[in-house]
Amino acid sequence: MNILIVGSGAREHAIAWKIRQSKIAGKIYCAPGNPGIAEIATCVPIPVDAIEKLVAFARENEIDLTVPGPEAPLVAGIVDAFEAKNLTIFGPSQKAAALEGSKAYSKYFMGKYKIPTAYSEIFTDYQAALDFAETTEYPCVVKADGLAAGKGVIIVENFSEAQSALRRCMLEREFGAAGAKVLIEEFLHGEEVSIFALCDGKDYILLQPAQDHKAIFDGDKGPNTGGMGTYAPAPIVTPALLERIKKEIIVPTLAGMAGQGIPYKGALFIGLMIDGGEVRVLEYNCRFGDPETQVILPLLDGDLPEMMHLAATGRLDECRAGTADQSTVCVVLASGGYPGQYEQEKKISGTDSDFDEGILVFHGGTARNGAGDLVTAGGRVLSIVAISDDFQKSREMAYKAVDNINFEGVYFRTDIGAKALKYL
Ligand code: AMP
Ligand code: GLY
C-alpha cells in the first residue's frame, strides 16, 4: 500500500512512525512533513490546504490510502474531494467534520441525541450576547463557533472579561469568520480526558484514553496551548467509566450521525470532562490529537494502515487489534514565549543522542536551515515520548531524555503525568 500522510506536526511524525512498522506499507509520503518525518518517509512540498494538488499527487503516485492529520483540510472537504476521484482516504466527510468545524452544530447534535454536555447559548448578535452575559453565572466560557487553531475558547471570570471576549470574537473578528457566531457556555469543573475511536460509519475501535496538559505552566496555570504533554492510558478512565462513555457517548454519537445520513468515518476524538460521577463532552474533534497521538500509537498492537483502510472502506468488523500493556508519557519541548510570541530558527542539539530503549523523538515545529542544521520553526518543537512497562518509569525516562536536548529558550512543563499518580 502506498500511503500519503497530510500534515507537518509531531502527530503526523507519530503516524508515519507507526505506519512505517506495517508489513503492508509500501511507499510512504508526507505533505509537507518535517525533518523528522523526512527520515522515514518522502516529504513533498504541498501545503495541507492545497486539496486539488493533493488529489493530483495521490493519482499520479498510485496512493492507496491517504491519512489527513489536521482538522483544517477535513473541515474544508478533503475526504469528499478524494472520494470523488475514487481514492481511499481515512477521515470524515466535510459534513461529518462539522462536529469539530462548528461548535454550534455539535451542540445541536448533542442536544438532539441527548449526549451529555455543558449548557450553552448561541449568538450571532453582539448585543444579544452581551445581554445574556449580564445575567449569566461566572466563570463561563466564550467560544468562537468555527475553527480558530485552538485559540477560540476563552474562559471568563466576570462580565467585563466576557464583554472583552465577545468584542474580540464578534466585533474585532480576532478569529476571522469563526467568530461571527459565538457560544456562551457553562463552565465545567473536573479533569479532562481524551478518548479516541477509529470509526467506519457503523463500528468503532477504541484506542487507549489519554490525558493532555493544555495549560502552559505547571499546575495547569496560565493560558491554554495546543497541548504540552500527555500520558496513556489515563487511569481516571476505569473500566466501568469506559463502559459508560461507550454507552452514553460513543454509541449514540455514531448512531446519531448515521441516522442523520452523515455516517462518521475516520478518527473521532472526544474531549471529556469528568467530575466525580459526571461525564460530559467538552468537544468533538474530527482527527487525532496532538500530543495524544504520540502516546496512543506506541501502545497500539495492530497494523495501523490496515486498520485505517478497513475503517475508510466500512469494514472495521474484520479488524483485529489489541493494546500493549504498557504506559507512555510525552513531554513537549516548546519555544520560549509560546503560546504568545516566540523566536524561531534556534539551533537544536541532542535529538540524535544515544537514548535509552523506549525513547521516541517526534518532530513538530522543526526545519533545516541553509547550512542543513536542525532549527526551531514553531511553538511546539519536539515531542519526547517514553514507553515502558511502568508509568512512573516512563515519566522518569521521558524527563531524562529531555535533558539531552537543547535549544535557546527551550521550555517544557515539569509535571506531565503528575495528575495520574493519585489513581495509581
Ligand atoms: P474546546 O476546543 O471546546 O475543547 O476547548 C478547549 C479547552 O478549553 C478545553 O480542552 C478545556 O480545557 C477548556 N474548556 C472548553 N469548554 C469548557 C467548559 N465548558 N468548561 C471548562 N473548560 C472548558
Ligand atoms: N491536544 C488537543 C488537540 O489536539 O486538540
Side-chain angles (χ1 to χ4, degrees):
M1 235 195 248
N2 295 330
I3 298 162
L4 170 63
I5 300 163
V6 178
S8 63
R11 165 182 53 204
E12 287 75 21
H13 192 179
I15 293 171
W17 170 83
K18 189 68 184 174
I19 288 178
R20 181 85 273 172
Q21 291 163 31
S22 160
K23 290 193 179 65
I24 60 171
K27 288 188 184 139
I28 306 173
Y29 298 94
C30 188
N34 65 37
I37 297 172
E39 289 172 19
I40 52 174
T42 305
C43 292
V44 290
I46 308 176
V48 300
D49 56 359
I51 291 177
E52 288 314 317
K53 285 191 180 143
L54 293 167
V55 168
F57 179 87
R59 297 184 79 179
E60 282 156 22
N61 293 276
E62 297 178 358
I63 299 296
D64 301 296
L65 173 69
T66 297
V67 182
E71 60 277 18
L74 290 163
V75 171
I78 190 171
V79 168
D80 310 71
F82 271 66
E83 288 183 344
K85 301 287 187 217
N86 281 320
L87 293 162
T88 303
I89 180 163
F90 173 77
S93 65
Q94 182 169 32
K95 276 189 176 162
L99 275 185
E100 175 167 3
S102 166
K103 292 184 191 292
Y105 172 71
S106 82
K107 283 285 171 187
Y108 156 80
F109 175 81
M110 287 187 271
K112 182 166 176 189
Y113 295 98
K114 304 203 164 41
I115 295 166
T117 187
Y119 176 77
S120 76
E121 294 268 343
I122 299 167
F123 300 95
T124 48
D125 180 66
Y126 174 69
Q127 190 55 49
L130 266 193
D131 291 346
F132 179 80
E134 249 176 333
T135 59
T136 196
E137 279 177 31
Y138 289 91
C140 70
V141 189
V142 174
K143 297 185 172 187
D145 173 57
L147 291 186
K151 300 196 176 85
V153 174
I154 308 166
I155 294 168
V156 292
E157 301 290 341
N158 50 47
F159 174 71
S160 126
E161 284 182 24
Q163 189 175 25
S164 138
L166 290 169
R167 197 182 318 112
R168 284 164 60 194
C169 284
M170 302 184 87
L171 301 183
E172 292 160 13
R173 290 294 168 91
E174 193 174 315
F175 314 112
K181 204 183 265 180
V182 156
L183 286 76
I184 301 181
E185 184 167 291
E186 166 197 9
F187 179 84
L188 297 181
H189 296 270
E191 255 191 70
E192 285 185 51
V193 63
S194 304
I195 300 288
F196 295 87
L198 301 189
C199 309
D200 72 354
K202 328 175 279 294
D203 293 319
Y204 67 95
I205 288 183
L206 272 192
L207 304 180
Q208 287 287 47
Q211 196 162 41
D212 192 5
H213 297 64
K214 295 227 160 128
I216 185 73
F217 301 127
D218 283 10
D220 293 335
K221 301 278 190 302
N224 267 358
T225 68
M228 292 302 294
T230 36
Y231 61 88
I236 185 175
V237 184
T238 58
L241 187 59
L242 194 59
E243 286 312 310
R244 272 188 58 200
I245 293 169
K246 287 183 193 168
K247 188 164 150 253
E248 293 173 19
I249 296 168
I250 301 175
V251 168
T253 297
L254 292 183
M257 291 301 281
Q260 297 189 122
I262 313 172
Y264 192 95
K265 287 197 287 182
L268 179 64
F269 165 0
I270 310 181
L272 298 178
M273 188 69 94
I274 299 178
D275 186 14
E278 283 234 63
V279 183
R280 287 192 277 180
V281 176
L282 277 175
E283 61 169 345
Y284 289 109
N285 293 308
C286 62
R287 53 174 172 84
F288 282 117
D290 186 344
E292 286 92 338
T293 306
Q294 293 90 305
V295 288
I296 286 168
L297 292 186
L299 296 175
L300 173 67
D301 181 12
D303 187 303
L304 185 62
E306 181 185 32
M307 293 171 81
M308 289 172 155
H309 198 272
L310 289 172
T313 53
R315 296 180 298 141
L316 261 189
D317 54 339
E318 295 170 33
C319 177
R320 253 165 270 295
T323 300
D325 189 16
Q326 289 179 299
S327 287
T328 41
V329 173
C330 168
V331 178
V332 171
L333 304 189
S335 296
Y338 172 80
Q341 299 277 356
Y342 54 84
E343 290 179 24
Q344 306 196 31
E345 293 184 46
K346 304 294 181 196
K347 269 196 204 177
I348 303 169
S349 65
T351 53
D352 50 3
S353 303
D354 191 12
F355 293 112
D356 291 339
E357 200 185 314
I359 295 296
L360 299 161
V361 176
F362 294 125
H363 288 227
T366 70
R368 297 262 172 217
N369 66 13
D373 303 315
L374 188 68
V375 296
T376 64
R380 292 188 295 165
V381 178
L382 293 163
S383 286
I384 313 304
V385 178
I387 178 166
S388 82
D389 293 338
D390 178 72
F391 172 72
Q392 278 285 33
K393 187 170 161 202
S394 295
R395 270 189 94 197
E396 283 160 23
M397 284 166 63
Y399 277 108
K400 184 174 159 217
V402 162
D403 281 343
N404 289 284
I405 298 175
N406 202 17
F407 53 85
E408 194 188 312
V410 60
Y411 172 78
F412 56 90
R413 274 181 64 161
T414 66
D415 65 346
I416 301 302
K419 263 187 283 190
L421 299 176
K422 61 180 178 289
Y423 300 104
L424 296 172

